[in-house]
Amino acid sequence: MIFRTLVTVADLEANLFNAKCVVVDCRHDLMDFSAGFKAYQAGHIPNATFAHIEEDLSGEKTDRTGRHPLPRREDLEAIFGEWGINNDSQIVAYDAQGGQFAGRLWWLARWLGHADVAVLDGGWQAWMAKTNWSSVEDADRVLGTFVARAPLVDVVDAAAVLARPADALLVDARAAERYEGRVEPIDLVAGHVPGALNRFWQSNLAEPNGSFKTRAQLRAEFDALLAGRRPDQVLQMCGSGVTAAHNILAMEHAGLPGSMLYAGSWSEWIRDPRRPVAKAA
C-alpha cells in the first residue's frame, strides 16, 4: 500500500486495518473552529485520529505571521508520533471540504520528509456514500517512532515573493472575488499580490467538495496556466497557506511536482503595510 497523492475509497477500505495505515480526520470550518472535532465525535472513518488545523497543523501566531503559520518541525514530529505514525506508515488524510484541509496535512507530511501520504479522493462524503461505515470510537494507536527527514517540498517567504524572478509564476488559490478584492470575509485587507494569477483551489475538483478531476484534465489546465514554465518556477499562495497546498497536490497528481509554497500567504503579506496590494480594475 503506497499512495502519494490521492487514494480512492475502495483502496482505503481494503487497507483500513493494515498496521501501516494511519487515517487522519482533518475536517474544519474557518468560521467555527470547534466544528471539525464535533463532526469527528459524531462519526468518523473507523480508527481515524483527529487533526485540528488551528492547534495541530499550525504554529504560534504573532503580529507578523499569517493566520496559519507553519508549526515547528519538532512539534509536528512529536504530534505524528502521538498519532501512531512511523517512518514506514501510509498516512491518509480526509475532510468533508474537497481536500481543502486534508491537503494541508499532505503538504506538512512531505515537509517532514514523508512521501507515503495521500488525500482521500472525495473525502468523508465519498466514504459514507460507498461504505456507510463510521465509528465514534477514538483511534486505537500505539505511540509511533516518527523521525522527520529532509523536506520533500520547498517553502518561500515574503521576501522571496517580492524578489521573485520575472519568469516566476505566483498563483493565488483563493476564490476570485477575494483575489480581485471585491470581498474579504476573513482578512483585514482585500486584494492580491501584484502580478499573481488566480486559480481557485476548487477548480481542481470535478464538483464542489467532491472528487478531483482526472490527471489528464488537471495536466491540461495547469499546462495552460504555466504557459511553458517549469513547475519549480511556480510559487503557490492563498489566504493563509492552507488551500495553496491543494493546488500543489493537484499539480503533483498531474505529474507536475516541485512548486513552492508561500506559507504565510495573504494574511501574512498584509501585516506589513509597505508591501504592495493590487485589486481588480
Side-chain angles (χ1 to χ4, degrees):
M1 179 189 186
I2 298 178
F3 301 98
R4 292 182 169 174
T5 53
L6 301 176
V7 61
T8 66
V9 168
D11 282 330
L12 176 58
E13 187 178 15
N15 290 277
L16 188 60
F17 292 102
N18 183 320
K20 292 185 178 180
C21 182
V22 179
V23 182
V24 185
D25 186 322
C26 300
R27 285 178 285 179
H28 188 58
D29 185 335
L30 291 172
M31 299 302 180
D32 179 1
F33 293 172
S34 68
F37 188 59
K38 288 178 180 177
Y40 173 82
Q41 290 178 309
H44 52 264
I45 293 176
N47 214 30
T49 191
F50 180 74
H52 199 294
I53 301 298
E54 308 294 329
E55 298 171 8
D56 299 320
L57 304 184
S58 299
E60 182 182 358
K61 302 175 184 66
T62 72
D63 59 0
R64 294 187 177 185
T65 69
R67 287 181 281 107
H68 295 105
L70 296 182
R72 297 192 307 167
R73 278 170 56 90
E74 56 268 34
D75 291 343
L76 189 58
E77 179 185 59
I79 289 171
F80 273 30
E82 290 171 4
W83 290 340
I85 296 173
N86 301 305
N87 286 92
D88 64 350
S89 293
Q90 170 69 61
I91 305 171
V92 175
Y94 76 93
D95 58 33
Q97 293 81 24
Q100 178 180 7
F101 303 109
R104 169 76 166 195
L105 177 56
W106 175 85
W107 188 92
L108 286 172
R110 293 177 57 78
W111 182 54
L112 293 189
H114 193 77
D116 297 346
V117 55
V119 169
L120 180 61
D121 197 17
W124 173 247
Q125 295 93 325
W127 173 267
M128 289 301 292
K130 184 179 186 301
T131 72
N132 195 32
W133 184 21
S134 66
S135 172
V136 294
E137 301 296 325
D138 290 339
D140 181 16
R141 292 290 175 195
V142 176
L143 189 66
T145 58
F146 183 81
V147 177
R149 298 172 179 173
L152 302 174
V153 288
D154 291 317
V155 187
V156 297
D157 59 14
V161 173
L162 276 169
R164 67 190 185 277
D167 59 353
L169 179 64
L170 179 61
V171 179
D172 190 322
R174 293 175 298 160
E177 60 268 24
R178 292 185 65 198
Y179 163 83
E180 293 169 359
R182 292 186 282 114
V183 299
E184 184 45 71
I186 302 176
D187 294 310
L188 297 176
V189 177
H192 60 268
V193 176
L197 299 182
N198 183 222
R199 179 180 171 84
F200 185 30
W201 66 271
Q202 286 193 12
S203 299
N204 301 321
L205 304 176
E207 58 185 36
N209 295 341
S211 298
F212 278 68
K213 294 175 179 175
T214 67
R215 291 178 191 267
Q217 286 176 297
L218 292 170
R219 181 61 183 250
E221 291 176 13
F222 277 106
D223 278 343
L225 185 68
L226 268 59
R229 297 177 181 85
R230 302 185 313 273
D232 63 4
Q233 292 177 287
V234 180
L235 287 66
Q236 308 268 13
M237 66 172 293
C238 55
S240 62
V242 173
T243 57
H246 201 281
N247 277 344
I248 297 174
L249 169 61
M251 285 184 63
E252 183 92 19
H253 189 62
L256 296 167
S259 63
M260 297 168 280
L261 175 68
Y262 170 29
S265 283
W266 182 248
S267 56
E268 179 192 74
W269 182 266
I270 59 175
R271 293 288 193 175
D272 186 342
R274 295 171 296 180
R275 294 178 188 140
V277 170
K279 294 186 179 181

